[in-house]
Amino acid sequence: MIHSLFLINASGDIFLEKHWKSVVSRSVCDYFFEAQERASEAENVPPVIPTPHHYLLSVYRHKIFFVAVIQTEVPPLFVIEFLHRVVDTFQDYFGVCSEVMIKDNVVVVYEVLEEMLDNGFPLATESNILKELIKPPTILRTVVNTITGSTNVGDQLPTGQLSVVPWRRTGVKYTNNEAYFDVIEEIDAIIDKSGSTITAEIQGVIDACVKLTGMPDLTLSFMNPRLLDDVSFHPCVRFKRWESERILSFIPPDGNFRLLSYHVSAQNLVAIPVYVKHNISFRDGSSLGRFEITVGPKQTMGKTIEGVMVASQMPKGVLNMSLTPSQGTHIFDPVTKLLSWDVGKINPQKLPSLKGTMSLQAGASKPDENPTINLQFKIQQLAISGSSATDECHCRWP
Amino acid sequence: MAGNGLSYSEQGGEAALELAQEAAPTTAPSAPAAFGLFSSDTKKNEDLKQMLESSKDSAKLDAMKRIVGMIAKGKNASELFPAVVKNVASKNIEIKKLVYVYLMRYAEEQQDLALLSISTFQRALKDPNQLIRASALRVLSSIRVPIIVPIMMLAIKEASSDLSPYVRKNAAHAIQKLYSLDPEQKEMLIEVIEKLLKDRSTLVAGSVVMAFEEVCPDRIDLIHKNYRKLCTLLVDVEEWGQVVIIHMLTRYARTQFVSPWKKDDDDVVEEYNENNFYESDEEQKEKDWKVKKTYVMDPDHRLLLRNTKPLLQSRNAAVVMAVAQLYWHLAPKSEAGIVSKSLVRLLRSNREVQYIVLQNIATMSIQRKGMFEPYLKSFYVRSTDPTMIKTLKLEILTNLANEANISTLLREFQTYVKSQDKQFAAATIQAIGRCATNITEVTDTCLSGLVCLLSNRDEIVVAESVVVIKKLLQTQPSYHGEIIKHMAKLLDNITVPVARASILWLIGEYCERVPKIAPDVLRKTAKSFTNEDDLVKLQILNLGAKLYLTNSKQTKLLTQYVLNLGKYDQSYDIRDRTRFIRQLIVPNEKSGALSKYAKKIFLAQKPAPLLESPFKARDHFQLGTLSHTLNSRAAGYLELSDWPEVAPDPALRNVEAPEAAKEWTVFLGKTKKGKPTEKFYSESEEEEDESASTSATESESGSESEKEDKEEGSSDESSGSSSSSEESSDSESESKESTVKKTSRTAEKSDSEDIKKKAKRITKKRNTSSSSDSESSSSEESSSDSKSESDLRSDSESGKSGRATSSKKEEKPIQDRKAPNKKDVFLLDLDDFYPVTSPLSVPAAAVLSPSLAADLEGLSLSGSSVIDVCLLSSELLQFNCKIAASHPSEGS
């Protein structure tokens, strides 16, 4: 399966390599660099690159390419999913997954990678198990380690791997037993220039932070489970029970984990809680264009809209923009032609707007398309699908 | 592989020193002397050597950490081998681990020295702790030293019958490693695989199937007896194992079952049969009819489909994709549709996952449009998608286009054409072209739309439109005059070679319809001939030849001129073509009979090009594979066979009870070890029973139930055992009948049990536990009446192994540790997740809050009583709702 892993940073340095079978020379990455050069942006590097003797499968996250080398047929998603799991594990261990962090903790990284794969086949990928095998570094532990000479490797041999609930470590103890559930919903919508919704869908996740002693068995039920159209679960959730009763029954891992993600189908009408008014015009022959956008709330059920960010990729002909926002800050990058405006909160009494002029390349003809506007925002305490109010959570210890 | 003689090519700007060290050959590792120049380097390593030889663990650890850092950066640390290998027996776990890391990296290069470490591993293989045994096996099999093959073989054999499933899992991994080291061991290894395939542990299942796929994928006969077991265990296997097993079972099913796909003309034929019953060759028809009518899916086939379905809800994209391809390749066409929803869900994950999933959807959508039509809008392109995702989505949209949705799609395409991503805009034009050819209603609309695009400012868009229009015109030879004239005018402005070539070809092909323009175009291009791209030059020659044949009066000289230019061109391709054309069209004495037909040759009616999806050719690869993604056969790709005409004997999959029982006995008698069954969330007996009962092959139901009995182990014990009735009632509806199969510590006892059971024709496993006290060893109920299915079901529902709860064991960890060989018999019941070796939990109550401690005490006293703790108090549960909406609005 997976032969080797190379970590490559944005400037093309291989800063970590790990082999699970015989060593594969790092010159194999030259094929990757070639492909990278061909693709204009990092995002366009094809995830699967064939070379004469190997196949390179890569994922790009946190400005790092994780390139896996394989030699024989293997489902590509298997490798890609695993690489993403590696990144998630690093994030879990170090808080952030960056080149500096990985370099600083190279020994831990190496030990973790060693445990995650055996001969290229995944061995321990559950964070609960890994953390038992290799303790994540903390400042306190680093200090203690230097003084006492103790180590990051767990002195107890891990046992979770041997139990029937491979995702939960054993011997968990808390004085305060608590469980938190975060419901996060995202709407993704495409809206045409007249303001009508072309497509909109809701994607939700329930993230949990469970700190319970022993082996708790939880059940979680929903007010309106029918809305959850398509669900995917953490392996701890019992499929059967969900199918028959629409109740989530599970023995949770210890700590943070994603319990489920769901999808509310696009067929249901979704009310988009904001609108954008825009007036962008270029005139032929003139080197000036007008630009004006206003953002306003719509059907927010009295909640404030915050964290509003507007981004727009302007056409190449735009040289510069002189704009004045009614609130927030804006930046126009003349190289990438990206306009971004950090709006902040929307005050329904005084709608935020951004007005001004654009200067266009002299002599260039008017761009024939209008720029796309990307809008991001957050609303706290509102479930757009109206589904995810959990009404009961039940826990028992056997 | 590694020895391709390439030294590292250093990518980044590292210091010269390091460069030199880097170049220190992996191929000739024992040459530190050659680096005398860089004495500081050697000194650094000296320094490390000293640290490794010091008596302090902290110094050693420090040195090892630095060495691992060097390995991680790809620097050569092989000269430290002798110093490092000495520490293999270190007491400190972390040092040991890092030494293992080092060994796995360098042992291959320093085989002789590596042998020094072998004895340590051999000793560890006998360690009472299963984790130490496992890790010893792991390292031993990872160091790739051919001399130790016999030792490895022995270790694998031993480990494959180890008490601990974890060690057996590692044995399965070691099989692959040994096989790649020495393929000659194949036969022996297959024996081990055969043995491990029988294993009932979910831990082992994935790994051994992986080994099977690598070592002997053609030995499908090994799977027969384990097929049903694998299907049932599947839900509980870890994600990665699931993927491997599903792929293997797909292949297996394709060889063992008959096709569930009805022929398209099925209904027609049936009708025909009925109407013409008396007229036709009766017997033959009847037979046909019968065959078609009596297709009943093999219950095992159904079992596989049913047991994989819940995995569509896995969080792991690879599992979802694996199930999707299984349904695609195995399910009746009417059922395959259930996978589309899950695949569409995957489109919300990372770009790499999207890429692979979209590719597979593209292939699916060509063959069965209906599957994805309801999700058309999910494939709309977002402005934030990377280009490769955009083009794939476009591909799918084109595949899904039909009369009903084409107008919406074309409107959507209009936006895409305006995209700033020109590569994508060009792909959209291609897509419009394909829609136009596939759906005749919109051909005219599309054509006029494309003609409008010819006046677009962007050259790439125009060029692409020209190419597509050319193809469209060829399919519609009726009306061109106007469009061709329009395009001829464009020739002055367009510079993209493909587009110019296309225009020239069009004018040449239809030169008789534009008799005035064509010669003029030739005149213009003859002037610019020398500056044109090769592609265009060839088309100029073509145009010249065609005009020469149709209108030689006007163009003879021009053509001659062009041919002369071509004769001295730099490209031999063009010189070649010139020579060929000259011989063909210019009559001279040497030219044979062929030139008579020149006109027919040049102006023959050409078949219109088929605008096809590039994914058309991919469907011969199994979906979800690397080969499918690359559209070329990857090494090690296993072909999916066609359905057999007649299914092989399904009885092959029956498991004969006596044989199995015998094996058990032997197993027990010899090693005193048992295999725990792990069933946690599996949907088990109920379903399987159904399949058995619905099965057409009633004859096997007897053995079927036997097998199930075994599988369920002691699950159908009387519910009067000490296990809580609450639990069991709870478990009725949900599928967590966890069952336990235990073997007695005392072999005689279980032997006699076995014999007794055998006498009653039902195999039961004794359910006893290791810890000598506390055992409420449940009385076996020899359910000789379990033939009756309803009984069996109710048994299994209420059945809970009567096993004292973990809390009891918690109190006895010391004892467990003393008896390591037995400790592994851990309970798999719901109420026992405590691993046996958990010394941590001894002082449990001391640390806990009083209430919890009380709870725990209660637990240990009452054995299996269940305590419900409602967590609903507001301080414990907090719900945060957040909406983050990303909202790319198109246009503005």
Side-chain angles (χ1 to χ4, degrees):
Chain A
M1 290 231 147
I2 299 172
H3 256 256
S4 307
L5 175 71
F6 293 98
L7 267 54
I8 300 173
N9 65 12
S11 52
D13 295 331
I14 304 170
F15 65 92
L16 187 109
E17 63 178 66
K18 170 88 186 104
H19 308 275
W20 284 275
K21 301 188 182 183
S22 297
V23 178
V24 177
S25 158
R26 56 164 70 187
S27 60
V28 78
C29 291
D30 291 349
Y31 294 101
F32 178 81
F33 295 127
E34 252 172 58
Q36 198 183 3
E37 232 164 80
R38 243 175 288 132
S40 47
E41 284 162 57
E43 289 201 320
N44 274 327
V45 178
V48 183
I49 301 166
T51 79
H53 300 290
H54 301 94
Y55 304 97
L56 306 177
L57 275 72
S58 62
V59 305
Y60 179 65
R61 276 177 73 181
H62 306 291
K63 304 221 162 86
I64 302 171
F65 283 103
F66 294 76
V67 184
V69 182
I70 60 171
Q71 239 180 346
T72 51
E73 171 67 49
V74 56
L77 275 183
F78 185 97
V79 181
I80 287 170
E81 183 79 25
F82 176 79
L83 291 177
H84 280 299
R85 207 60 72 78
V86 169
V87 183
D88 293 341
T89 309
F90 287 169
Q91 231 170 338
D92 193 31
Y93 259 78
F94 312 124
V96 284
C97 177
S98 67
E99 188 188 346
V100 179
M101 218 36 156
I102 289 174
K103 277 181 171 168
D104 285 353
N105 295 292
V106 75
V107 174
V108 178
V109 165
Y110 230 66
E111 284 169 335
V112 168
L113 287 176
E114 188 71 51
E115 291 300 334
M116 287 184 87
L117 282 182
D118 178 22
N119 195 37
F121 192 77
L123 193 62
T125 47
E126 285 300 330
S127 102
N128 267 224
I129 302 297
L130 280 171
K131 283 189 173 162
E132 241 184 320
L133 289 164
I134 300 134
K135 300 236 165 70
T138 58
I139 293 170
L140 181 67
R141 188 167 299 121
T142 322
V143 174
V144 172
N145 284 356
T146 24
I147 296 167
T148 62
S150 62
T151 66
N152 282 331
V153 173
D155 34 352
Q156 295 297 330
L157 285 163
T159 46
Q161 191 130 37
L162 309 169
S163 87
V164 236
V165 266
W167 53 84
R168 185 168 178 90
R169 67 193 181 94
T170 47
V172 185
K173 267 176 264 122
Y174 289 103
T175 38
N176 288 325
N177 283 299
E178 32 185 25
Y180 301 95
F181 295 89
D182 273 351
V183 181
I184 301 164
E185 290 196 342
E186 289 181 15
I187 329 171
D188 219 330
I190 303 176
I191 293 173
D192 70 4
K193 54 179 157 190
S194 59
S196 56
T197 311
I198 291 180
T199 143
E201 50 188 13
I202 299 173
Q203 177 83 4
V205 294
I206 299 184
D207 282 341
C209 175
V210 177
K211 294 180 173 175
L212 297 171
T213 307
M215 276 289 166
D217 198 336
L218 304 179
T219 49
L220 193 71
S221 50
F222 293 96
M223 302 270 250
N224 192 358
R226 232 150 240 100
L227 272 174
L228 304 183
D229 183 32
D230 184 27
V231 200
S232 72
F233 300 118
H234 190 274
C236 69
V237 177
R238 295 181 180 93
F239 289 126
K240 236 347 205 1
R241 186 109 188 244
W242 171 258
E243 253 165 46
S244 56
E245 299 168 53
R246 299 275 143 177
I247 284 175
L248 290 180
S249 155
F250 57 99
I251 294 169
D254 185 43
N256 294 313
F257 68 102
R258 173 153 297 174
L259 180 62
L260 88 160
S261 50
Y262 57 90
H263 190 89
V264 179
S265 71
Q267 273 80 13
N268 297 3
L269 273 183
V270 179
I272 310 290
V274 291
Y275 68 85
V276 178
K277 261 200 280 183
H278 53 85
N279 181 9
I280 303 170
S281 59
F282 304 102
R283 250 164 297 154
D284 246 333
S286 140
S287 64
L288 277 181
R290 271 196 306 146
F291 184 97
E292 178 178 354
I293 47 177
T294 313
V295 187
K298 191 168 92 178
Q299 289 164 323
T300 63
M301 310 208 238
K303 302 280 194 308
T304 38
I305 303 174
E306 8 173 55
V308 183
M309 295 281 292
V310 178
S312 179
Q313 179 71 51
M314 303 308 287
K316 288 202 181 66
V318 178
L319 285 182
N320 212 342
M321 306 180 79
S322 61
L323 303 168
T324 34
S326 67
Q327 70 178 78
T329 52
H330 78 283
I331 297 171
F332 176 72
D333 183 343
V335 181
T336 57
K337 315 284 181 204
L338 186 72
L339 168 73
S340 45
W341 175 29
D342 185 348
V343 185
K345 268 186 199 171
I346 294 184
N347 177 4
Q349 271 75 52
K350 190 172 162 289
L351 296 180
S353 66
L354 185 65
K355 273 187 222 173
T357 55
M358 303 175 278
S359 55
L360 303 172
Q361 207 159 11
S365 50
K366 126 183 197 249
D368 49 17
E369 79 272 32
N370 273 328
T372 324
I373 299 175
N374 275 306
L375 185 71
Q376 287 186 22
F377 56 89
K378 272 186 207 162
I379 303 174
Q380 300 276 355
Q381 310 286 337
L382 174 73
I384 202 87
S385 68
S387 67
S388 29
T390 40
D391 72 342
E392 203 179 344
C393 179
H394 215 59
C395 169
R396 70 174 185 209
W397 281 275
Chain B
M1 182 175 38
N4 51 5
L6 282 166
S7 63
Y8 292 141
S9 61
E10 183 52 32
Q11 303 298 338
E14 291 204 27
L17 264 186
E18 284 179 342
L19 247 173
Q21 199 189 26
E22 198 102 359
T26 24
T27 43
S30 54
F35 292 93
L37 257 178
F38 304 103
S39 50
S40 64
D41 244 22
T42 336
K43 249 183 207 155
K44 199 165 99 193
N45 285 346
E46 280 304 321
D47 168 44
L48 282 173
K49 268 184 203 161
Q50 268 169 18
M51 285 165 77
L52 283 170
E53 273 154 25
S54 89
S55 55
K56 269 191 246 154
D57 270 2
S58 59
K60 283 183 180 175
L61 189 60
D62 224 29
M64 281 317 295
K65 280 186 174 170
R66 276 167 58 190
I67 292 169
V68 167
M70 282 164 75
I71 295 176
K73 283 195 196 107
K75 291 178 192 164
N76 187 16
S78 63
E79 59 176 43
L80 292 162
F81 202 96
V84 174
V85 81
K86 278 180 210 158
N87 292 303
V88 75
S90 168
K91 290 271 181 292
N92 183 312
I93 296 179
E94 184 157 24
I95 294 181
K96 210 174 196 167
K97 269 197 175 168
L98 295 176
V99 172
Y100 285 0
V101 168
Y102 184 89
L103 270 179
M104 289 189 203
R105 171 70 180 74
Y106 283 114
E108 207 175 6
E109 294 166 19
Q110 309 241 344
Q111 309 222 341
D112 294 346
L113 285 170
L115 292 179
L116 294 175
S117 61
I118 304 296
S119 63
T120 320
F121 299 131
Q122 278 179 305
R123 222 174 307 127
L125 281 172
K126 304 262 186 297
D127 196 280
N129 187 318
Q130 48 180 336
L131 287 153
I132 292 179
R133 286 202 303 277
S135 86
L137 180 63
R138 219 179 125 191
V139 184
L140 183 69
S141 54
S142 296
I143 55 178
R144 294 180 298 273
V145 178
I147 300 171
I148 60 157
V149 165
I151 298 175
M152 271 168 80
M153 194 65 226
L154 206 69
I156 291 174
K157 273 191 177 163
E158 204 128 281
S160 69
S161 42
D162 197 288
L163 191 67
S164 148
Y166 184 63
V167 176
R168 297 201 298 274
K169 182 189 177 77
N170 277 281
H173 285 186
I175 291 172
Q176 304 163 52
K177 300 181 210 167
L178 181 53
Y179 179 66
S180 62
L181 190 65
D182 182 9
E184 304 229 315
Q185 305 290 323
K186 187 169 176 179
E187 288 312 310
M188 300 252 266
L189 288 174
I190 291 178
E191 275 170 40
V192 183
I193 290 177
E194 195 173 356
K195 185 166 158 198
L196 285 174
L197 274 172
K198 295 201 181 104
D199 206 301
R200 302 202 156 273
S201 161
T202 48
L203 265 181
V204 183
S207 303
V208 70
V209 170
M210 188 64 222
F212 169 84
E213 291 280 79
E214 207 128 292
V215 179
C216 52
D218 47 336
R219 288 289 303 276
I220 223 103
D221 56 298
L222 297 180
I223 302 299
H224 293 315
K225 296 254 181 282
N226 302 299
Y227 173 80
R228 288 175 195 156
K229 182 196 71 187
L230 284 174
C231 287
T232 353
L233 287 186
L234 196 58
V235 189
D236 285 343
V237 176
E238 31 83 44
E239 305 158 87
W240 312 106
Q242 282 172 351
V243 179
V244 176
I245 294 177
I246 292 172
H247 274 270
M248 190 276 289
L249 288 178
T250 310
R251 243 167 9 93
Y252 176 86
R254 264 315 229 336
T255 62
Q256 299 300 317
F257 306 125
V258 288
S259 167
W261 301 336
K262 289 185 205 123
K263 297 276 174 297
D264 292 331
D265 52 352
D266 205 7
D267 296 342
V268 182
V269 173
E270 263 176 40
E271 255 176 48
Y272 173 77
N273 276 341
E274 270 156 17
N275 294 342
N276 305 299
F277 193 71
Y278 296 103
E279 290 164 31
S280 49
D281 178 1
E282 273 182 38
E283 277 207 326
Q284 177 58 37
K285 288 281 174 186
E286 198 169 23
K287 215 167 134 196
D288 260 357
W289 190 71
K290 225 172 165 179
V291 166
K292 271 172 185 136
K293 267 293 180 197
T294 54
Y295 172 75
V296 177
M297 187 182 279
D298 189 301
D300 286 329
H301 190 172
R302 176 52 67 200
L303 174 74
L304 176 61
L305 291 177
R306 191 175 41 221
N307 281 1
T308 45
K309 192 180 160 196
L311 298 180
L312 281 172
Q313 290 176 336
S314 170
R315 65 169 169 174
N316 188 319
V319 176
V320 177
M321 190 65 232
V323 178
Q325 68 84 25
L326 182 131
Y327 264 78
W328 176 259
H329 291 295
L330 296 182
K333 291 194 166 146
S334 54
E335 288 174 39
I338 60 162
V339 304
S340 20
K341 194 193 267 182
S342 309
L343 285 179
V344 170
R345 184 188 69 227
L346 295 185
L347 297 182
R348 293 300 309 259
S349 73
N350 298 295
R351 129 201 115 92
E352 294 87 4
V353 175
Q354 280 185 44
Y355 176 75
I356 306 285
V357 172
L358 284 170
Q359 273 190 331
N360 284 292
I361 292 180
T363 304
M364 290 175 162
S365 61
I366 293 172
Q367 283 188 29
R368 303 185 202 160
K369 274 187 185 190
M371 268 175 81
F372 292 97
E373 257 169 23
Y375 304 98
L376 185 74
K377 287 193 169 177
S378 307
F379 302 108
Y380 278 8
V381 171
R382 289 162 207 286
S383 58
T384 43
D385 288 334
T387 312
M388 59 179 178
I389 302 288
K390 283 184 191 160
T391 37
L392 276 171
K393 280 187 173 173
L394 195 63
E395 174 65 40
I396 294 167
L397 288 174
T398 321
N399 290 339
L400 293 178
N402 59 20
E403 285 85 357
N405 59 26
I406 186 68
S407 53
T408 353
L409 268 186
L410 283 179
R411 216 173 308 133
E412 187 70 14
F413 285 170
Q414 271 175 27
T415 339
Y416 299 168
V417 171
K418 289 183 200 153
S419 160
Q420 295 185 25
D421 184 346
K422 289 306 160 200
Q423 206 186 333
F424 172 57
T428 309
I429 294 166
Q430 293 271 11
I432 295 174
R434 260 177 58 203
C435 288
T437 44
N438 295 340
I439 302 162
T440 39
E441 280 92 336
V442 293
T443 313
D444 293 346
T445 333
C446 291
L447 199 55
S448 54
L450 288 171
V451 172
C452 288
L453 285 178
L454 290 178
S455 49
N456 194 291
R457 260 185 229 91
D458 193 275
E459 186 159 334
I460 301 170
V461 172
V462 178
E464 202 64 39
S465 311
V466 167
V467 176
V468 173
I469 289 175
K470 178 207 130 195
K471 288 181 184 160
L472 278 183
L473 287 183
Q474 241 181 307
T475 57
Q476 284 228 316
S478 51
Y479 85 124
H480 329 294
E482 281 309 306
I483 296 177
I484 294 176
K485 273 179 210 158
H486 185 82
M487 287 168 80
K489 275 181 218 155
L490 282 174
L491 201 60
D492 299 336
N493 302 320
I494 292 185
T495 55
V496 179
V498 196
R500 287 179 73 85
S502 293
I503 297 176
L504 289 173
W505 185 89
L506 262 183
I507 294 171
E509 190 63 21
Y510 304 108
C511 56
E512 280 164 302
R513 297 180 202 230
V514 282
K516 284 184 185 152
I517 295 171
D520 193 49
V521 169
L522 183 63
R523 179 187 61 81
K524 278 188 199 162
T525 48
K527 265 205 291 195
S528 60
F529 186 87
T530 45
N531 300 323
E532 298 284 5
D533 187 273
D534 282 1
L535 204 61
V536 186
K537 282 179 182 169
L538 287 177
Q539 289 310 326
I540 298 173
L541 287 170
N542 246 343
L543 174 66
K546 283 172 184 166
L547 283 174
Y548 185 92
L549 291 170
T550 55
N551 185 3
S552 62
K553 216 198 285 173
Q554 270 185 301
T555 58
K556 195 173 175 182
L557 280 174
L558 260 175
T559 310
Q560 294 277 11
Y561 173 70
V562 171
L563 286 176
N564 278 335
L565 282 176
K567 194 175 170 184
Y568 299 106
D569 198 85
Q570 280 186 326
S571 155
Y572 54 78
D573 236 9
I574 289 166
R575 295 199 299 275
D576 235 24
R577 178 72 64 91
T578 315
R579 215 169 300 134
F580 162 74
I581 289 176
R582 192 189 288 275
Q583 290 301 320
L584 204 55
I585 60 170
V586 184
N588 59 16
E589 69 278 5
K590 262 192 250 167
S591 63
L594 212 55
S595 57
K596 269 186 265 171
Y597 302 105
K599 188 165 181 181
K600 273 194 181 157
I601 292 170
F602 271 103
L603 293 171
Q605 187 82 37
K606 278 110 189 152
L610 270 175
L611 298 177
E612 267 188 343
S613 160
F615 284 83
K616 193 109 185 167
R618 291 199 185 190
D619 52 2
H620 60 276
F621 290 112
Q622 188 178 352
L623 288 185
T625 59
L626 183 63
S627 304
H628 175 267
T629 300
L630 296 168
N631 198 18
S632 72
R633 230 188 141 80
Y637 173 74
L638 298 165
E639 201 78 53
L640 204 59
S641 69
D642 276 335
W643 297 101
E645 285 293 322
V646 182
D649 185 11
L652 280 173
R653 287 183 291 275
N654 294 348
V655 184
E656 295 120 51
E659 198 186 86
K662 202 170 81 199
E663 204 185 293
W664 271 103
T665 326
V666 171
F667 198 56
L668 293 164
K670 209 169 62 187
T671 59
K672 280 173 101 186
K673 284 169 184 168
K675 290 176 177 179
T677 311
E678 297 184 21
K679 275 204 171 181
F680 182 45
Y681 289 170
S682 311
E683 52 180 280
S684 41
E685 195 155 8
E686 248 177 290
E687 297 243 331
E688 222 179 348
D689 271 351
E690 271 161 36
S691 83
S693 69
T694 52
S695 91
T697 53
E698 279 300 343
S699 61
E700 58 172 87
S701 65
S703 56
E704 175 94 30
S705 63
E706 266 174 36
K707 182 205 135 227
E708 273 155 24
D709 272 356
K710 270 198 317 113
E711 211 159 81
E712 290 308 315
S714 51
S715 73
D716 43 359
E717 275 164 24
S718 64
S719 49
S721 61
S722 67
S723 141
S724 65
S725 57
E726 204 180 329
E727 274 267 40
S728 48
S729 68
D730 219 343
S731 71
E732 250 166 39
S733 48
E734 61 182 83
S735 61
K736 58 173 179 184
E737 298 111 307
S738 330
T739 65
V740 184
K741 185 169 295 171
K742 287 286 155 37
T743 53
S744 158
R745 259 181 306 126
T746 49
E748 299 93 348
K749 198 174 166 192
S750 88
D751 266 2
S752 66
E753 275 290 335
D754 268 353
I755 291 154
K756 203 168 80 193
K757 277 178 246 154
K758 245 189 282 173
K760 288 185 176 172
R761 207 194 53 83
I762 303 291
T763 315
K764 292 268 162 192
K765 286 293 156 242
R766 184 86 170 114
N767 186 25
T768 58
S769 126
S770 55
S771 34
S772 47
D773 70 325
S774 89
E775 205 30 70
S776 59
S777 115
S778 43
S779 65
E780 296 287 343
E781 181 195 84
S782 57
S783 51
S784 54
D785 51 344
S786 72
K787 259 177 287 171
S788 97
E789 189 203 313
S790 57
D791 257 10
L792 210 146
R793 190 184 299 177
S794 65
D795 273 354
S796 80
E797 273 166 8
S798 60
K800 273 284 154 183
S801 65
R803 173 77 165 87
T805 45
S806 53
S807 47
K808 290 217 169 164
K809 243 194 296 166
E810 228 171 79
E811 295 171 356
K812 300 285 172 196
I814 298 154
Q815 192 171 0
D816 281 340
R817 266 185 298 172
K818 274 187 201 152
N821 280 346
K822 295 155 203 159
K823 75 184 175 194
D824 188 57
V825 191
F826 55 85
L827 254 199
L828 306 150
D829 210 326
L830 257 187
D831 39 15
D832 182 6
F833 296 107
Y834 289 93
V836 205
T837 52
S838 164
L840 247 184
S841 43
V842 188
V847 195
L848 292 175
S849 68
S851 67
L852 255 173
D855 280 353
L856 278 179
E857 262 169 48
L859 267 179
S860 48
L861 288 175
S862 63
S864 56
S865 73
V866 179
I867 296 158
D868 280 348
V869 179
C870 190
L871 268 187
L872 258 185
S873 60
S874 57
E875 39 171 330
L876 292 188
L877 265 186
Q878 292 181 4
F879 295 97
N880 284 337
C881 289
K882 219 193 301 182
I883 292 189
S886 75
H887 175 175
S889 67
E890 280 289 337
S892 62

